[in-house]
Amino acid sequence: MKPTEQQAISRRKFLIGSAAVAAGVLLADKGWVDAQPFFTPEGVDVEGLERAGYLVRHTICHQCGAGCGLTALVKKDAPPSEENMLIFGNQHPEHPQRGMCGRGATAPYTWNSPLRLRKPLKRVGERGEGSFEEVSWDQALDEIAAKVREIVERDGAKAMAFSTHDYKAEMQLLAWPLGSPNVISQASTCNTAGVVGRRWMMGSGFDHHATIDPDYDNIRYVLFPGRSLNAPIGAVHRLAKAREHGAKVVFLNPAHPDVAFANSDWIPCVPGTDAAFMLGVAHVLVSEEKYDESFVLNQTNLPFLLKADGKPLTQEDLVADGDANVFALMSVDGEIVFHDAAGIQPELTYAGTVTLADGSDAAVTTAWNRLVTHLADYTPGNAAQITGVPAATITRVARDLFIMRGVVEDTWYNTRNGNDTDVIMGLMTVNALLGNLDQVGGLGVRLGSKLPGMIGRASDGTVSLITGDSFLMEHTKTIDKEIYPETNATFDAVFQGILDEQPYPITGLMLVGATIFHRDPNVARAIEAIKKLDLLVTVDIVHQEICDWSDYVLPAEMFLERDHIKGIGWTQGISVALQRKVTDPPAGVDARPDAWIMLEILRRAYPQRAAMVGHYDWMSDVATWKNEWMHPIEELRIEGLANAWNRDPAEVRRELEENGFITFQPKQYGLTPYNRPFASPSGRLEVYAFRPVLRGYREHGFATYFDPPAYTMPRAEDEFFLVNGKSPIGGSGVAGLAFPTQYLVDNRLWLNPADAERLGIAMDDEVEVEGLDTGWKAKVNVNVTPRVIAGTAFVYSYSGGHRQKVVADDPRFAKLSKGLAPHWFSKSWVDPITGSNSNNASVRIRRA
Amino acid sequence: MSTRLRKGQAPTKRMAHVWDASKCIACGACVMACTSTNNPDMMMREEKGWNSIASNIRRIDSVSAQGRPEVLLVQCQHCEDAPCLNTCPFGATYMDDNGMIRLDPRMCSGCSYCVTSCPYNVRWFHPDSKLPKKCMGDTCLELVDKGLQPACVQSCPAGARDYGDLNDPNSSVSVTLRTKRSRRLLENAGTEPKYFVVEGS
Amino acid sequence: MAPADLHFQVPIAHWGWTIVWFLWFVGIAGMGSVGYFFVRKAALAYVIFGSLVLGLAFVVSHLGRWWNLPRTLWTMVTNGIFNWSSWMLVGIVLLSVHLILSVIVVASHIPWLQRIGWLKWTATLSRANAYLALYAFLGFMATVYSGFLLTQASGIPLWNTSLIPILWVVSGSIAAIAVIELLYVFGVVESSVSTLAVRLGLGLDAIKLLAVLAFLHVALAYGSAGARIGATAMASGEYALMTWGGVIGIGILVPIAIGLYTVLVKKSKPLLAISSIAALAGVFFLRAVVLLAGAWEPLVL
């Protein structure tokens, strides 16, 4: 352990040890000699620094969506420049997501990047051409507002769609008062499969990818199926410590993840077969009786009785006027008991006949019995044939998981092959058998932070701001939910609305921080849709490829330039962090806050509707707006947070400013689901998911393996799966465009040496890649590497195939235009129930 | 400031880098932090020779003979018998009393002999000053002169880097090297490098 | 498959064509000085001097910080820092002294200078065998230095062989003989000297051929990975044409063929001119391929 982590900290001295002094010396070296005396091995004298004209600013990194803790030092009253600010990882040893990875390290590169958007742009050439003229904010906002008004009045408010990665609330400030429910994030190309899988097994509130996470501090064995753990970096940091204490880390992935360089096992598998692997592991656990029987009996629905049709036996089946939401079990005494009763001692293997309320007899059996039968198809040998992983490895993983009391991580980005929901269900089945939930070194369940949002909507359509402003929305169902009943957000529905005008036409689209071409599958179709739009507005930090297709491009503030408060995810305790403004934008960058942009468009289109959310014409000045609109809202959020935790708001703010975060509650083990039931129909971890069965989506509730439906399966010897993954350097829309990314992230196509030899392809050879489903053709250089399984090609997402004109025109960024964007080749297959999209594809590869 | 050693003088400290390959996640934070700390003027400029960013750390991706993917980070090894020190015609390259190989820019004419004589290929030419840059950079030298950790150590999120005195048996690097298996690069080159690669925990 | 860590020195260290010219001129001047001991012609003295000046001009122009050279030397001297373990420093001293001696020799050949009374000592000195022996020895050592310059660059395994100084001396001798042959062609040198030179050249060409092939063979067959990379670039890679066509074909086989013809059949000035130019070009190509093919030892394969 570094000395920095051993030293005690005081309120006023939060940067500690050598890091603090280092910062001091750095300052001195950059001509900040006056600041140096305030840095001592004991910590940083913040007050002294402030008196001397230096600011310490803790913030939340936003170079990707993980939100890790950074700290910046800035010189007061100095012009914004790289020389006047220093950014490094928040060194507080208790920070739940401390540290800076390769993406965070690109933040200063992004801030004043030649690719940074500097002024509002208006398209002057054809869409896609990348020809713009700079216009004033007034002109841009007035023209956009007029167009929005035209669309709303001609096609209805719902014809306006909005999409973003992280700024949903900001977009809702415009969309909801307009009357459009259609703020649709990118979830379906990221996490939808996992969210739906978790919701089906644990219920709402337990479905978010940042809610369930391994207890890294105490982990003994962790298996990452399909996750590369390139973020958040706090998790990586804690995992590194656990590894030092002997923890075993295993990645199941078609391609070798960068984090696996660190003494980890990598099990290469055929893409889209993780569910078979998980069910193979489950098979071993069950057949070798290596499962936690108490957990299975008391915390899962495996003892629950199922009828022959696969539906659960309910109280309604058995008792007149019984409750359909109360499920039946057979007790060890041979009595039918209901799941909501106390002190149940269920029989796990019961099979027999019960008499229903109507007097008829029905054959019933426990979900456990059905599971045993179900798993019979997934012997390690069978699973090996599907996954390409040796049967012995599957067996070994199962045994190690059990012996070492391990966990299977529940993934983040998982929308890949079209069968991904079953992967999550499969891995949660394994976790259920291991019974290692919410225990020390287990899979922890994080509780909510109680941080109130800026804007919210009740089920009756009442929209409320935290300020108390409210109004009623007529249409609240988003277009994607009209098509995909279980989705959390499927942007593909917007393309359907544009192209097919089904279920209704979409004619206007607004994007904030949404890198469409590097986020949504089937770029050709996206282009076709975009060409049909009446209005496309993009708000972003750097000039993304989608900007070239937009009618207006508006420069937004980056995280270094704004204040915000948000909860910290992927942790065990309950923590909230403060994103504090570090600096103004660099000279020449006229960037504005996302929320202000949305509100100004609304005000210029419909002043009365802007008034519904408290925005008025005298707020068109950004500084005034920040003082009069934004600041009070952030204060109210802090007040709400403080009240929820019985804390003084002023004290909460002070602590947030001093440390960058507050942990309101450390991890409490043994809570969920033991003392706090899940939100599933049974309140238990439903290995047999009732929800999709009861809603008629599925015949049975178990995870199942089936061939990926998302693409034509590669069959010929020059046909391959094309998979993609993120690098911890350039693995985000913003970091992908940073200068160092083009040198530190490989944007070649990875091919296994066996495949390369067969096709006569050598290292760095140029090949032509053709999508089997999309027909898209592109040329790329090859990296012949065993880092990818045979039969599969791999590319890092975001790091190649950038086709915007500014990139092509600037020789410093020329390398970014090389490589591939994986979405050129994926056809955008969407699961009709879950709405989960899929980013993988199949391609033909030939020597160019 | 640390003092220059004359021929035959032994350093009082033997400062060494430890890079733990078993912990490194290849995130590149140290590579970028090195540039932004030591050569901020090079943040948007390529190091053409290496086809990389202008960092004092080189990243090499490779595969072991057994087919295991590997990454190697290389920087100045601060060799105890440094070839660059022997070849520099003007004595610009020297060892200081911390055992660090340093460059006196006053005495450098940019002949590049230190570049060709380094078996580790860790020096690059600054396009403006034409100085042969390497670890440590100017700002990191300031840090270590004050007994602090260099930028690469501070930026590593995985705790894979350390820097300390081999002469101090209680230093963290000494403890690590006593307790973990490590190797040095090009061991048989006779350079006695002070950059240690920890291979396993 | 190419190693993961494959770097040739030119893009990084920038020891490129200017150094090739430098090494070539030093070879001509160095071994030319040995030749001058035997053939004391003004034209040869001018060629040596000219080569030295051009060689030095090339090497100084190569310095990334040439403008810092005065300060460098001043700091060096005032601090008493002389790194005699560096062959480059040894070479700087050798070349400097050799240049001074060369100026004296040149001065002894210029009639109008000799008319200046106080410069007559240059002619006296230049007639002394001891002086010319020193001149020859320094030239020889400068050539040796230009070989050890590469040998000592321990980052480039292709160069870390004792063969390079010897090869440089042999090829430098061939260059000096070629210059003398050219002087014969222009009527400056007597035919008898030329005949002797052709015979000597034949022997040296044979040795050079053996040395070049041995250099390649040892590096390819027994060298480290870095040496093999360099030798492969010379033998079958990027520089193969220059090696086989330039160094061996033009530089060795053509002079051997013309030399044999001269010895066995008859002497022809045009052929000797071709042979000399080919030999000089071969010496140039040799330095070029060895320098340009230099690569680092890959840290991982």
Side-chain angles (χ1 to χ4, degrees), chain C residues 275-288:
Chain C
S275 163
S276 304
I277 290 165
L280 282 167
V283 173
F284 182 83
F285 289 138
L286 175 65
R287 278 148 177 76

PDB file of all heavy atoms in Angstrom, chain C residues 275-288:
ATOM      1  N   SER C 275      36.055   1.541 -63.053  1.00  0.00           N
ATOM      2  CA  SER C 275      36.356   0.711 -61.895  1.00  0.00           C
ATOM      3  C   SER C 275      36.480   1.569 -60.637  1.00  0.00           C
ATOM      4  O   SER C 275      35.954   1.242 -59.578  1.00  0.00           O
ATOM      5  CB  SER C 275      37.654  -0.050 -62.165  1.00  0.00           C
ATOM      6  OG  SER C 275      38.195  -0.546 -60.980  1.00  0.00           O
ATOM      7  N   SER C 276      37.173   2.699 -60.771  1.00  0.00           N
ATOM      8  CA  SER C 276      37.389   3.555 -59.599  1.00  0.00           C
ATOM      9  C   SER C 276      36.080   4.143 -59.091  1.00  0.00           C
ATOM     10  O   SER C 276      35.805   4.158 -57.882  1.00  0.00           O
ATOM     11  CB  SER C 276      38.332   4.703 -59.959  1.00  0.00           C
ATOM     12  OG  SER C 276      39.525   4.180 -60.461  1.00  0.00           O
ATOM     13  N   ILE C 277      35.298   4.636 -60.035  1.00  0.00           N
ATOM     14  CA  ILE C 277      34.012   5.238 -59.617  1.00  0.00           C
ATOM     15  C   ILE C 277      33.131   4.163 -58.991  1.00  0.00           C
ATOM     16  O   ILE C 277      32.480   4.385 -57.959  1.00  0.00           O
ATOM     17  CB  ILE C 277      33.324   5.911 -60.827  1.00  0.00           C
ATOM     18  CG1 ILE C 277      34.137   7.155 -61.205  1.00  0.00           C
ATOM     19  CG2 ILE C 277      31.890   6.295 -60.506  1.00  0.00           C
ATOM     20  CD1 ILE C 277      33.809   7.723 -62.563  1.00  0.00           C
ATOM     21  N   ALA C 278      33.139   2.969 -59.595  1.00  0.00           N
ATOM     22  CA  ALA C 278      32.332   1.875 -59.041  1.00  0.00           C
ATOM     23  C   ALA C 278      32.806   1.533 -57.633  1.00  0.00           C
ATOM     24  O   ALA C 278      32.003   1.332 -56.715  1.00  0.00           O
ATOM     25  CB  ALA C 278      32.428   0.651 -59.941  1.00  0.00           C
ATOM     26  N   ALA C 279      34.133   1.491 -57.444  1.00  0.00           N
ATOM     27  CA  ALA C 279      34.660   1.150 -56.119  1.00  0.00           C
ATOM     28  C   ALA C 279      34.260   2.199 -55.097  1.00  0.00           C
ATOM     29  O   ALA C 279      33.833   1.872 -53.981  1.00  0.00           O
ATOM     30  CB  ALA C 279      36.184   1.033 -56.194  1.00  0.00           C
ATOM     31  N   LEU C 280      34.369   3.478 -55.476  1.00  0.00           N
ATOM     32  CA  LEU C 280      33.989   4.559 -54.558  1.00  0.00           C
ATOM     33  C   LEU C 280      32.499   4.471 -54.220  1.00  0.00           C
ATOM     34  O   LEU C 280      32.093   4.638 -53.064  1.00  0.00           O
ATOM     35  CB  LEU C 280      34.310   5.914 -55.182  1.00  0.00           C
ATOM     36  CG  LEU C 280      35.791   6.317 -55.125  1.00  0.00           C
ATOM     37  CD1 LEU C 280      36.064   7.499 -56.037  1.00  0.00           C
ATOM     38  CD2 LEU C 280      36.207   6.646 -53.684  1.00  0.00           C
ATOM     39  N   ALA C 281      31.698   4.191 -55.255  1.00  0.00           N
ATOM     40  CA  ALA C 281      30.252   4.058 -55.014  1.00  0.00           C
ATOM     41  C   ALA C 281      29.990   2.882 -54.079  1.00  0.00           C
ATOM     42  O   ALA C 281      29.158   2.957 -53.162  1.00  0.00           O
ATOM     43  CB  ALA C 281      29.518   3.864 -56.337  1.00  0.00           C
ATOM     44  N   GLY C 282      30.713   1.780 -54.285  1.00  0.00           N
ATOM     45  CA  GLY C 282      30.528   0.600 -53.442  1.00  0.00           C
ATOM     46  C   GLY C 282      30.845   0.887 -51.997  1.00  0.00           C
ATOM     47  O   GLY C 282      30.143   0.432 -51.087  1.00  0.00           O
ATOM     48  N   VAL C 283      31.902   1.675 -51.793  1.00  0.00           N
ATOM     49  CA  VAL C 283      32.266   2.046 -50.414  1.00  0.00           C
ATOM     50  C   VAL C 283      31.144   2.879 -49.794  1.00  0.00           C
ATOM     51  O   VAL C 283      30.785   2.720 -48.627  1.00  0.00           O
ATOM     52  CB  VAL C 283      33.603   2.819 -50.425  1.00  0.00           C
ATOM     53  CG1 VAL C 283      33.916   3.370 -49.043  1.00  0.00           C
ATOM     54  CG2 VAL C 283      34.731   1.917 -50.913  1.00  0.00           C
ATOM     55  N   PHE C 284      30.575   3.749 -50.599  1.00  0.00           N
ATOM     56  CA  PHE C 284      29.455   4.579 -50.130  1.00  0.00           C
ATOM     57  C   PHE C 284      28.249   3.699 -49.787  1.00  0.00           C
ATOM     58  O   PHE C 284      27.638   3.824 -48.729  1.00  0.00           O
ATOM     59  CB  PHE C 284      29.094   5.585 -51.229  1.00  0.00           C
ATOM     60  CG  PHE C 284      27.990   6.519 -50.848  1.00  0.00           C
ATOM     61  CD1 PHE C 284      28.250   7.656 -50.101  1.00  0.00           C
ATOM     62  CD2 PHE C 284      26.669   6.256 -51.236  1.00  0.00           C
ATOM     63  CE1 PHE C 284      27.224   8.524 -49.743  1.00  0.00           C
ATOM     64  CE2 PHE C 284      25.651   7.122 -50.890  1.00  0.00           C
ATOM     65  CZ  PHE C 284      25.931   8.252 -50.142  1.00  0.00           C
ATOM     66  N   PHE C 285      27.929   2.784 -50.699  1.00  0.00           N
ATOM     67  CA  PHE C 285      26.766   1.910 -50.476  1.00  0.00           C
ATOM     68  C   PHE C 285      26.964   1.042 -49.233  1.00  0.00           C
ATOM     69  O   PHE C 285      26.022   0.780 -48.492  1.00  0.00           O
ATOM     70  CB  PHE C 285      26.529   1.009 -51.697  1.00  0.00           C
ATOM     71  CG  PHE C 285      26.013   1.744 -52.900  1.00  0.00           C
ATOM     72  CD1 PHE C 285      26.491   1.471 -54.174  1.00  0.00           C
ATOM     73  CD2 PHE C 285      25.032   2.717 -52.764  1.00  0.00           C
ATOM     74  CE1 PHE C 285      26.009   2.147 -55.282  1.00  0.00           C
ATOM     75  CE2 PHE C 285      24.542   3.397 -53.872  1.00  0.00           C
ATOM     76  CZ  PHE C 285      25.039   3.113 -55.133  1.00  0.00           C
ATOM     77  N   LEU C 286      28.207   0.589 -49.038  1.00  0.00           N
ATOM     78  CA  LEU C 286      28.465  -0.251 -47.874  1.00  0.00           C
ATOM     79  C   LEU C 286      28.118   0.490 -46.580  1.00  0.00           C
ATOM     80  O   LEU C 286      27.435  -0.034 -45.703  1.00  0.00           O
ATOM     81  CB  LEU C 286      29.939  -0.676 -47.853  1.00  0.00           C
ATOM     82  CG  LEU C 286      30.375  -1.457 -46.610  1.00  0.00           C
ATOM     83  CD1 LEU C 286      29.656  -2.804 -46.534  1.00  0.00           C
ATOM     84  CD2 LEU C 286      31.882  -1.683 -46.605  1.00  0.00           C
ATOM     85  N   ARG C 287      28.617   1.717 -46.499  1.00  0.00           N
ATOM     86  CA  ARG C 287      28.311   2.502 -45.303  1.00  0.00           C
ATOM     87  C   ARG C 287      26.813   2.758 -45.194  1.00  0.00           C
ATOM     88  O   ARG C 287      26.241   2.756 -44.096  1.00  0.00           O
ATOM     89  CB  ARG C 287      29.110   3.810 -45.329  1.00  0.00           C
ATOM     90  CG  ARG C 287      30.539   3.604 -44.839  1.00  0.00           C
ATOM     91  CD  ARG C 287      31.547   4.531 -45.503  1.00  0.00           C
ATOM     92  NE  ARG C 287      32.894   4.365 -44.955  1.00  0.00           N
ATOM     93  CZ  ARG C 287      33.708   3.331 -45.255  1.00  0.00           C
ATOM     94  NH1 ARG C 287      33.276   2.378 -46.056  1.00  0.00           N
ATOM     95  NH2 ARG C 287      34.917   3.251 -44.727  1.00  0.00           N
ATOM     96  N   ALA C 288      26.175   2.985 -46.334  1.00  0.00           N
ATOM     97  CA  ALA C 288      24.730   3.269 -46.316  1.00  0.00           C
ATOM     98  C   ALA C 288      23.944   2.072 -45.803  1.00  0.00           C
ATOM     99  O   ALA C 288      23.118   2.200 -44.892  1.00  0.00           O
ATOM    100  CB  ALA C 288      24.256   3.660 -47.716  1.00  0.00           C
TER     101      ALA C 288
END
